[in-house]
Amino acid sequence: GIQVEQSPPDLILQEGANSTLRCNFSDSVNNLQWFHQNPWGQLINLFYIPSGTKQNGRLSATTVATERYSLLYISSSQTTDSGVYFCAAPYNQGGKLIFGQGTELSVKP
Amino acid sequence: EAGVAQSPRYKIIEKRQSVAFWCNPISGHATLYWYQQILGQGPKLLIQFQNNGVVDDSQLPKDRFSAERLKGVDSTLKIQPAKLEDSAVYLCASSLVPHSYQETQYFGPGTRLLVL
């Protein structure tokens, strides 16, 4: 099955700074999702992005399927962006998601 | 549209006790998933239902864990007896399109279990 690796494992930013989170996957995918897990544990869908680029406010994501990686960009970071960011890809075609280990982001005021 | 509902939100039990978690998926979602998230790790699938049938339970410790989804809507996950290593967050997720790798999964708030 597919393996998913994320980097960096943790990141500390000053409010207003930009950041890039990376997700590498071991096999070709037809589905790549980014989630934000807030300090209360809720997993919030950010992007469903099997390929190409999408933007939602200060966040954007790019997946290069042929090179097996995805990037999540956070611009003008805010303290509310703190939490853990996960990427996940499906195991074969069964629907279950294989998650990376996450990037823990802390944005300081 | 209401999201995925889970209860209880928190549970503390002693080892060897039993515990049950409940999940109500988004209305109309055919596929339901239970994930276990241990502190510091990403979620890992325990069991996947398609309507009321099991699609994947390969990672479910069947000697102590059981799950059901009667009538293809709500689901319960049970642990009996609990072990210390079962301390984790149990997340329920659902998706609309059955058995499709192209469908977004939506997660509930989770149940935090602490086994003492």
Side-chain angles (χ1 to χ4, degrees), chain B residues 23 49 51-53 67-76 78:
Chain B
C23 172
F49 291 95
N51 295 311
N52 60 351
E68 61 182 8
R69 190 184 183 196
L70 299 176
K71 301 180 182 179
V73 182
D74 295 5
S75 177
T76 56
K78 297 179 181 178

Side-chain angles (χ1 to χ4, degrees), chain A residues 90-101:
Chain A
Y91 179 87
N92 295 333
Q93 297 187 18
K96 76 176 183 183
L97 292 175
I98 304 301
F99 283 79
Q101 290 293 89

Side-chain angles (χ1 to χ4, degrees), chain A residues 30-31 33 35 37-43 45 48 86 90-102, chain B residues 9 33 35 37 40-43 45 48 55-56 58-59 91 99-109 112:
Chain A
N30 289 293
N31 176 357
Q33 292 186 234
F35 296 89
Q37 189 165 42
N38 65 24
W40 295 271
Q42 175 76 58
L43 269 172
N45 299 69
Y48 164 77
F86 289 101
Y91 179 87
N92 295 333
Q93 297 187 18
K96 76 176 183 183
L97 292 175
I98 304 301
F99 283 79
Q101 290 293 89
Chain B
R9 294 296 309 278
Y33 311 80
Y35 289 85
Q37 186 178 19
Q41 300 181 16
L45 184 78
Q48 176 185 348
V55 173
D56 184 346
S58 57
Q59 300 301 307
L91 294 162
H99 224 351
S100 168
Y101 54 78
Q102 295 181 323
E103 183 57 33
T104 301
Q105 293 183 26
Y106 297 91
F107 283 78
R112 293 181 180 273

